Amino acid sequence: MSERVDLPAFAAAFGRAVHDAGIPSPPERAVRFAQALALAPPARRGSLYWTARTVFVSSREQLETFDRVFARVFGGIADPAQARGDPNAPPPPGAQAGPRPARTQAALPEAPPEGGAAPRSSFGDLREPRRDGDDAERRERNVQLAAASAEERLAERDFGQLTPDELRALWRLMRELALAPPLRRSRRARRDRHGGRLDVRATLRASRRTGGDPARRIMRRRVLRRRRLVLLCDISGSMEPYSRAFLQFLHAAVGGTDAEAFVFATRLTRLTRALQGRQPELAIERATAVAHDWAGGTRIGETLRRFNDSYGRRGMARGAVVVIVSDGWERGDPALVAEQMERLHRLAHRVVWVNPHKASRDFAPLAGGMAAALPWCDAFVSGHNLSALSAVAEAISTSRRSTR
């Protein structure tokens, strides 16, 4: 029976071999390689290859070098024990003089022996002794790895290309997205022994217990609160491929951060109450029933004027983080967009514009509404997929202005 391999030393030796070949390999990759081997012990040489390639290869240009290192280490030409200075390690077969003998199909780990028996793994020493319940545990781990891979693929898919099933899976991932507007000091204060302001009334009341002598000073400190988050989403015809995904984003924001949600095409509609609840399908049905201008034209200037007059000046946008999701196509006068964006910029703490077309290589902000609004935006991001929404979350949480 072969000995068990010391996984940390084994992974570190292979990581050094990869690094010496010219592929950047920090120690963290060797740690991940050892963890991957412990989590899913390879039963065949091919499984070991894909595990190592997933950990150590980060670009297509590195594939040829990695394949050469893997063949040298695991193909019988070299041994990782040499890299860690084991004096008792036998010399590798490939180091002997003369041409290397051709490997037959029977010498490959993947080739089954005669009689149809299951192939014996060349790396069986990487696995723990088999115990009751190992198969079920291994299957559970494989399911978890497959689910993680599916989530990674979904995170890179453009919102405009998602199927209905993928949109439902997307909502669960959006719920995990942390939207944290920056903190602000409210006008309210509370007692705090380390506060910087004296609470005169409370101190005088307490002095009555000591004969009028204020022996104990009571201090107060202003309370820190999250800034309000306000989202305005374009549901016009030009944004229709992205409307469903961004409505789910609005639903997650309303449920997670108590955000205010609006949609617009030719007019402004408030959806905060309609998007409340934990079931996205019902919430979106209520939202589509309330918004009657779905997939219509786009009047960004009129929409912003309605928002500033009806909600912004009354306090909703004052000191808030306002996020506008739109491609910038405007049927009206772009000058009105610039005028209303300037008003909104004076009221809000930050204005973040999300345009899913920004991710295109050929994108340029040439649309009339987009060109007019851009000078008054503090951040301009794409948000075309789930990974890009992390940039939206970062723009929301940033406290400074003009990060465009």
Side-chain angles (χ1 to χ4, degrees), residues 130-203:
R130 177 161 289 195
R131 297 183 300 268
D132 294 340
D134 279 359
D135 291 340
E137 183 180 355
R138 188 175 294 108
R139 285 195 297 269
E140 183 179 356
R141 289 174 177 174
N142 292 336
V143 170
Q144 292 174 355
L145 292 175
S149 300
E151 290 179 359
E152 291 175 357
R153 291 193 298 269
L154 181 61
E156 299 299 329
R157 289 285 303 276
D158 190 279
F159 286 157
Q161 302 174 356
L162 297 182
T163 63
D165 292 337
E166 290 174 332
L167 284 170
R168 283 190 289 270
L170 180 68
W171 176 81
R172 292 192 295 270
L173 299 178
M174 284 183 172
R175 292 283 296 181
E176 301 175 0
L177 192 65
L179 300 179
L183 297 172
R184 65 174 180 86
R185 287 188 176 182
S186 68
R187 295 185 178 183
R188 294 181 178 273
R190 64 183 178 186
R191 293 188 181 183
D192 191 327
R193 65 176 62 185
H194 301 293
R197 188 168 59 180
L198 178 66
D199 189 338
V200 179
R201 291 186 177 180
T203 301

Side-chain angles (χ1 to χ4, degrees), residues 302-372:
E302 290 292 340
T303 297
L304 291 177
R305 178 159 61 184
R306 169 72 187 282
F307 176 79
N308 289 331
D309 292 343
S310 302
Y311 301 98
R313 292 174 55 187
R314 295 181 179 180
M316 181 179 292
R318 194 175 302 277
V321 178
V322 180
V323 179
I324 302 175
V325 182
S326 175
D327 55 4
W329 287 99
E330 168 66 359
R331 295 182 60 183
D333 186 6
L336 180 60
V337 178
E339 175 187 343
Q340 298 303 318
M341 282 294 295
E342 183 180 5
R343 289 181 60 194
L344 181 60
H345 187 264
R346 290 198 300 264
L347 286 172
H349 174 71
R350 278 175 62 80
V351 178
V352 179
W353 194 290
V354 180
N355 188 337
H357 300 305
K358 183 179 182 292
S360 175
R361 295 181 179 179
D362 302 328
F363 173 79
L366 302 180
M370 189 73 260

Side-chain angles (χ1 to χ4, degrees), residues 29-264:
R29 293 196 178 185
V31 173
R32 289 200 296 269
F33 185 41
Q35 292 173 344
L37 293 177
L39 180 64
R44 300 185 305 170
R45 178 170 177 248
S47 301
L48 178 64
Y49 168 80
W50 285 109
T51 302
R53 174 173 165 175
T54 302
V55 173
F56 290 102
V57 177
S58 56
S59 66
R60 184 176 299 177
E61 291 76 12
Q62 300 173 356
L63 280 177
E64 183 178 355
T65 304
F66 174 81
D67 290 343
R68 186 167 58 251
V69 173
F70 187 88
R72 186 175 75 247
V73 173
F74 298 107
I77 302 178
D79 193 324
Q82 292 181 331
R84 61 177 184 266
D86 188 354
N88 300 319
Q96 300 175 359
R100 181 184 177 187
R103 299 180 65 193
T104 62
Q105 183 68 16
L108 294 176
E110 291 86 349
E114 296 181 4
R120 183 178 179 180
S121 171
S122 299
F123 305 97
D125 50 0
L126 296 180
R127 292 176 291 180
E128 297 284 346
R130 177 161 289 195
R131 297 183 300 268
D132 294 340
D134 279 359
D135 291 340
E137 183 180 355
R138 188 175 294 108
R139 285 195 297 269
E140 183 179 356
R141 289 174 177 174
N142 292 336
V143 170
Q144 292 174 355
L145 292 175
S149 300
E151 290 179 359
E152 291 175 357
R153 291 193 298 269
L154 181 61
E156 299 299 329
R157 289 285 303 276
D158 190 279
F159 286 157
Q161 302 174 356
L162 297 182
T163 63
D165 292 337
E166 290 174 332
L167 284 170
R168 283 190 289 270
L170 180 68
W171 176 81
R172 292 192 295 270
L173 299 178
M174 284 183 172
R175 292 283 296 181
E176 301 175 0
L177 192 65
L179 300 179
L183 297 172
R184 65 174 180 86
R185 287 188 176 182
S186 68
R187 295 185 178 183
R188 294 181 178 273
R190 64 183 178 186
R191 293 188 181 183
D192 191 327
R193 65 176 62 185
H194 301 293
R197 188 168 59 180
L198 178 66
D199 189 338
V200 179
R201 291 186 177 180
T203 301
L204 291 177
R205 283 197 300 268
S207 67
R208 297 170 59 183
R209 301 178 182 178
T210 56
D213 184 13
R216 184 172 66 94
R217 295 189 304 169
I218 300 177
M219 310 300 292
R220 296 182 71 85
R221 174 179 290 179
R222 293 174 65 178
V223 179
L224 294 178
R225 299 187 184 277
R226 293 284 180 187
R227 293 185 180 273
R228 181 182 288 111
L229 178 61
V230 182
L231 300 106
L232 291 84
C233 182
D234 187 349
I235 58 171
S236 62
S238 61
M239 285 287 292
E240 188 173 8
Y242 298 92
S243 298
R244 169 61 189 263
F246 281 118
L247 267 183
Q248 293 185 176
F249 176 64
L250 264 63
H251 176 257
V254 170
T257 60
D258 296 329
E260 291 285 345
F262 296 82
V263 294
F264 66 90

